[in-house]
Amino acid sequence: MIETPNPEEEKNTRSLNFIEEIIEEDIRTGVNDGRVHTRFPPEPNGYLHIGHAKSICLNFGLGKKYHGQTNLRFDDTNPVKEDVEYVDSIMEDVKWLGFDWEDRLYYASDYFEQLYEYAVILIRKEKAYVCDMTAEEISETRGTPTRPGKESHFRTRSVDENIDLFSRMRAGEFPDGSRVLRAKIDMASPNMHMRDPVLYRILHAHHHRTGDQWCIYPMYDFAHGQSDSIEQITHSICTLEFEVHRPLYDWFIREIGLYAPRQIEFARLNVTYTIMSKRKLLELVREGYVNGWDDPRMPTICGLRRRGFTPESIRNFADTIGVAKRDNVIDVSFLEYCIREDLNKRANRLMAVLNPVKVIIDNYPDDQVEEMETVNNPEDESKGKRIMPFSKTIFIEREDFMEDPPNKFFRLAPGREVRLKAAYIIRCESVVKDPATGEIKEIHCTYDPLTKSGMPESNRKVKGTLHWVSEKQAVKAEIRLYDRLFTKENPDDLEEGESYKDYLNPGSLKIVTAMIEPAVLTPQVETGGMTGKFQFERIGYFSMDKDSTPENLVFNRVVPLKDSWAKVEKVK
RNA sequence: UGACCCAUGGUGUAAAGGUAGCACGAGUGAUUUUGGUUCACUCGGUCUAGGUUCGAAUCCUGGUGGGUCAACCA
């Protein structure tokens, strides 16, 4: 008996990642009554990148999978670094990726009053105190990981004095840096984060949401867990570097007496030939190494979007790379595989010649124009067909012709035949060169009228098939050819004295003018994010840039096609 | 001379004490009016040394290697 696989069953038996295992165990044992509620908590101090996409897909994916909810919460506790520009871009990017926080948009700054009251609770329990030491003194007395710290002499202040001082901090009586509120935990703890961490600092800074209402701001550690708790988050998922913060996270929840979310840490995403540090990405933008956050070479979501990536391809990428606790570096070629896979099925084909050389078909009637029919997408019949004009003079790629070709060269060469896709088989008869430079100016060919594509006698086999564009009808377009931003696999892995900027790829952007078949002007009104996305046959996937106008077309190369000929050439 | 976390093919990720599997990659071949796609086959792995067990990638101990932590950043 043959068993037919049940797709439902298959879905259920798919192996779980360690976070899903924890969640399912919690559901099984009735923790939170089986409720699942996650959150994505970015600080609005930069643009989101592909690493955030992993976190977004994880958090929203879990919410969806377990019929729970996912909040979007801005972790906006440091006004000097944050801006509404970033808030807006983050919301746009999350939406574009296909996720919906519905009515659950929150800000840590919404909880400032509540957090203040939590701090007062700790003071009253003698678990927090106002410390007058300078930042330097605090740092010096914190000790080192191997040596215990020293207790602050302000540690023994009375509850009343602490309450008074803390309220005056809030009232703006003290200058920045003069005092902080600290937790009273253990200056000898092996965990540095438990050595009387700072809870509040004085910052006379304008906040993008609360304005000048506050001049004291909670630290991350004092805001994050409590915000999770207020929002009844069940599983607070973050990256590995917060692992050592978890005891503190739990300490605040316990001491204040709040609902306790469970913090789970996973390994952040790294991708070869790029960087993820917000600070460094900001540097590249500020110092003009790239043209803005959405430069198509950037690993930012808006950069990938402008490059031509689809949300589907990024979601698929995030789902496929998996989630675990060990450090990982994903090969950028896997990201490229994900977008090729998507665009292969969904993007219409077009012929475009990026490095044109003229081919003149001597035995073709001078003024004749034929309409050649060709399919828009061989992977999807429903995409229909289009017409390409064919005439006596056409362009082919300069790389598709060699005067003295090696054995495995299946393209045009003197005396050899090739198929012009969707048109005729031609034979190269002669070449015309510039006498001064030796550069080939024209390739003269003859065509075989019996081999017209689709005709009964057109089935003759030749080694190669070339793409082409008719000279007269060709449409010019600016093509931006993008390559990896860095020449080094891991630009963060540096020798003494080096900078990641030393490894910027000088060839990461090349601009050429291409000749494209006239169908490129036909608006491709399509759904599914495929507008302006094409496969230029035999070359790669291209996406119309926002700079493009009907008079001045601009395309970005998303990714080249796999090229096994390039490999053959290399070996040689 | 600390605490915590991690270790499976080149990369990523599974195997909850019982056949080390999947994807990408690489290679070979077939198909192909894209040197694309698709299909078939192949390559290649449990850090190390002990221990427990009928049986260990999995549990225990010791090593080794990597990561995180000493912002009034998140």
Side-chain angles (χ1 to χ4, degrees), chain A residues 374-522:
Chain A
T374 186
V375 296
N376 282 326
N377 187 340
E379 308 294 315
D380 183 355
E381 233 177 90
S382 74
K383 299 283 185 176
K385 297 180 175 180
R386 69 180 190 282
I387 299 295
M388 285 186 71
F390 181 82
S391 64
K392 187 182 180 79
T393 305
I394 60 169
F395 293 115
I396 66 166
E397 297 288 348
R398 208 164 267 281
E399 293 78 30
D400 283 342
F401 177 82
M402 275 184 105
E403 264 197 291
D404 187 19
N407 272 348
K408 288 187 175 170
F409 188 79
F410 300 151
R411 309 176 187 184
L412 198 60
R416 288 208 199 168
E417 285 189 321
V418 292
R419 156 79 61 185
L420 293 175
K421 172 138 183 157
Y424 296 98
I425 291 175
I426 58 171
R427 173 198 299 276
C428 173
E429 306 292 354
S430 63
V431 297
V432 176
K433 293 188 196 174
D434 183 315
T437 63
E439 189 194 48
I440 292 166
K441 306 299 274 185
E442 295 175 354
I443 300 168
H444 284 262
C445 295
T446 52
Y447 84 114
D448 178 351
L450 295 177
T451 59
K452 182 173 174 178
S453 191
M455 299 283 281
E457 291 177 63
S458 71
N459 283 334
R460 187 147 67 83
K461 299 289 178 215
V462 286
K463 269 288 175 75
T465 302
L466 306 186
H467 62 281
W468 53 274
V469 175
S470 172
E471 182 192 34
K472 266 201 199 84
Q473 295 83 1
V475 178
K476 275 190 189 174
E478 176 182 328
I479 308 286
R480 298 173 182 170
L481 301 169
Y482 295 103
D483 199 354
R484 44 193 60 155
L485 229 200
F486 292 93
T487 55
K488 193 174 167 52
E489 198 167 291
N490 179 2
D492 287 318
D493 178 28
L494 299 169
E495 302 289 322
E496 191 68 23
E498 286 185 324
S499 160
Y500 68 100
K501 291 179 212 162
D502 299 340
Y503 292 97
L504 249 4
N505 177 7
S508 61
L509 169 59
K510 289 193 181 103
I511 298 176
V512 299
T513 302
M515 301 303 231
I516 309 182
E517 60 165 295
V520 71
L521 296 175
T522 319

Side-chain angles (χ1 to χ4, degrees), chain A residues 114-281:
Chain A
Q114 179 68 260
L115 291 168
Y116 181 86
E117 283 164 27
Y118 290 156
V120 171
I121 291 174
L122 290 184
I123 293 172
R124 291 198 193 286
K125 286 183 72 178
E126 298 189 61
K127 295 289 187 180
Y129 62 98
V130 173
C131 181
D132 301 357
M133 292 200 292
T134 63
E136 294 72 41
E137 287 170 325
I138 289 178
S139 176
E140 281 162 20
T141 52
R142 189 164 0 242
T144 70
T146 52
R147 222 172 300 186
K150 285 194 195 77
E151 294 188 353
S152 164
H153 18 280
F154 301 102
R155 211 173 194 255
T156 50
R157 279 219 254 239
S158 70
V159 169
D160 288 344
E161 192 184 359
N162 280 319
I163 295 279
D164 175 59
L165 251 16
F166 188 47
S167 71
R168 288 163 62 195
M169 280 169 63
R170 174 179 183 171
E173 288 188 30
F174 311 120
D176 287 4
S178 57
R179 289 187 160 87
V180 291
L181 185 72
R182 290 228 253 169
K184 193 187 289 186
I185 309 180
D186 177 8
M187 288 306 290
S189 170
N191 184 338
M192 297 295 287
H193 295 278
M194 300 300 271
R195 320 243 266 226
D196 289 13
V198 172
L199 272 43
Y200 271 89
R201 75 282 215 187
I202 301 171
L203 234 42
H204 289 269
H206 188 84
H207 187 280
H208 61 102
R209 292 194 79 243
T210 59
D212 299 314
Q213 194 185 335
W214 292 87
C215 63
I216 57 171
Y217 291 92
M219 300 290 290
Y220 163 85
D221 284 308
F222 194 67
H224 200 96
Q226 288 89 306
S227 300
D228 284 340
S229 183
I230 290 166
E231 294 175 20
Q232 297 281 301
I233 299 301
T234 57
H235 302 270
S236 177
I237 299 162
C238 60
T239 45
L240 241 33
E241 63 268 29
F242 293 102
E243 209 156 25
V244 281
H245 293 243
R246 184 161 15 106
L248 184 55
Y249 181 112
D250 293 339
W251 188 89
F252 286 131
I253 296 290
R254 194 171 56 245
E255 293 297 335
I256 300 166
L258 301 173
Y259 160 76
R262 180 204 286 270
Q263 177 177 303
I264 305 169
E265 310 87 10
F266 70 96
R268 68 174 341 131
L269 169 69
N270 296 290
V271 178
T272 56
Y273 298 103
T274 193
I275 52 173
M276 291 300 176
S277 149
K278 272 193 198 175
R279 196 201 91 231
K280 290 175 183 170
L281 293 174

Side-chain angles (χ1 to χ4, degrees), chain A residues 260-321:
Chain A
R262 180 204 286 270
Q263 177 177 303
I264 305 169
E265 310 87 10
F266 70 96
R268 68 174 341 131
L269 169 69
N270 296 290
V271 178
T272 56
Y273 298 103
T274 193
I275 52 173
M276 291 300 176
S277 149
K278 272 193 198 175
R279 196 201 91 231
K280 290 175 183 170
L281 293 174
L282 179 63
E283 254 172 38
L284 293 180
V285 173
R286 290 237 171 108
E287 295 168 19
Y289 292 102
V290 296
N291 304 313
W293 285 101
D294 69 345
D295 186 299
R297 292 166 289 186
M298 292 280 274
T300 49
I301 310 264
C302 54
L304 293 166
R305 175 167 63 231
R306 187 169 178 187
R307 176 85 166 245
F309 278 77
T310 59
E312 291 83 355
S313 68
I314 293 176
R315 275 189 259 128
N316 185 41
F317 173 78
D319 291 344
T320 311
I321 56 176

Side-chain angles (χ1 to χ4, degrees), chain A residues 25-88:
Chain A
E25 178 65 15
D26 283 349
I27 291 172
R28 240 192 320 273
T29 56
V31 177
N32 296 308
D33 301 319
R35 193 172 55 88
V36 173
H37 200 151
T38 56
R39 103 266 93 114
F40 172 63
E43 182 188 17
N45 67 344
Y47 281 68
L48 259 27
H49 55 59
I50 183 78
H52 296 107
K54 175 179 178 180
S55 176
I56 292 166
C57 293
L58 216 207
N59 277 295
F60 280 92
L62 255 14
K64 195 169 185 179
K65 176 169 182 177
Y66 294 106
H67 310 290
Q69 297 181 318
T70 304
N71 298 354
L72 175 61
R73 180 173 74 235
F74 287 99
D75 225 336
D76 55 350
T77 57
N78 185 4
V80 301
K81 284 192 173 180
E82 296 154 9
D83 196 280
V84 283
E85 174 197 352
Y86 301 125
V87 171
D88 294 341

